Amino acid sequence: MEATEANVMENIFLLVLVTLMSALQNVFFARKMEREGTTDSTKTAAFERVSCANRNCMDAYPTFIAVMWCAGICLSQAPAAFAGLVYLFARQKYFVGYMGQSTQSTPGFLFGKRVLSFLFLMSIIGVLSHLLSHYLGADYKEYIQTVTKAASTLLLLP
């Protein structure tokens, strides 16, 4: 029984780490919003920007978690976790950029959108690979994992 638990943990460990880092990032966003809200006037422009950035990040958060875990479980853990880390960086860039001028948040937003698209595509490919393997006996998973690992580094290109 312990060998099975260790095998499961080995297959999801990186996803768990990225999920915990994303939770810490959410705490950072909440603390930043709390600090801005404790000023004399809670309706300051800075509070409104931080509040809006936090709300936007939280709106996309369930989608991020879902596609990262689906991509990691259905296809390959390492590229999904790497893409998750890149997404956290993009989300941080978006949040910090939103506190400045609104145009400073655009690169982080677009970068995050690209990462979410990549994770979604990984999830779909993982599901299709499983279906091909299960119903047609064609097993392309190893080939697809190799391509995915190589493609995940392309996320770093501007």
Side-chain angles (χ1 to χ4, degrees):
M1 181 98 167
E2 288 181 29
T4 304
E5 290 174 15
N7 192 25
V8 168
M9 191 59 182
E10 186 178 299
N11 290 330
I12 64 169
F13 186 72
L14 296 174
L15 300 173
V16 169
L17 284 176
V18 174
T19 302
L20 291 174
M21 284 190 268
S22 72
L24 285 174
Q25 189 180 47
N26 288 344
V27 169
F28 167 77
F29 293 161
R31 297 274 299 149
K32 183 67 176 164
M33 199 169 107
E34 180 183 334
R35 274 183 292 206
E36 288 295 331
T38 58
T39 59
D40 294 334
S41 172
T42 58
K43 293 296 180 188
T44 64
F47 176 76
E48 290 298 322
R49 284 193 305 272
V50 169
S51 176
C52 189
N54 185 52
R55 189 173 42 256
N56 291 345
C57 288
M58 291 301 110
D59 287 347
Y61 187 69
T63 303
F64 159 65
I65 291 295
V67 294
M68 182 187 71
W69 275 87
C70 289
I73 291 173
C74 293
L75 191 58
S76 185
Q77 175 188 205
F82 176 73
L85 286 174
V86 172
Y87 180 77
L88 294 181
F89 171 76
R91 196 166 77 146
Q92 186 73 27
K93 186 174 178 66
Y94 170 78
F95 189 86
V96 170
Y98 209 94
M99 290 187 299
Q101 296 176 348
S102 60
T103 56
Q104 293 174 337
S105 66
T106 304
F109 173 76
L110 295 175
F111 198 42
K113 220 168 91 169
R114 185 169 66 174
V115 174
L116 287 177
S117 299
F118 175 75
L119 287 167
F120 180 74
L121 185 62
M122 275 185 68
S123 300
I124 295 298
I125 290 171
V127 168
L128 291 175
S129 173
H130 175 75
L131 291 174
L132 283 173
S133 173
H134 189 269
Y135 291 109
L136 300 178
D139 190 12
Y140 297 107
K141 189 168 185 172
E142 192 172 309
Y143 171 74
I144 292 171
Q145 285 178 340
T146 303
V147 170
T148 305
K149 286 176 185 173
S152 66
T153 58
L154 296 176
L155 289 173
L156 297 176
L157 293 177

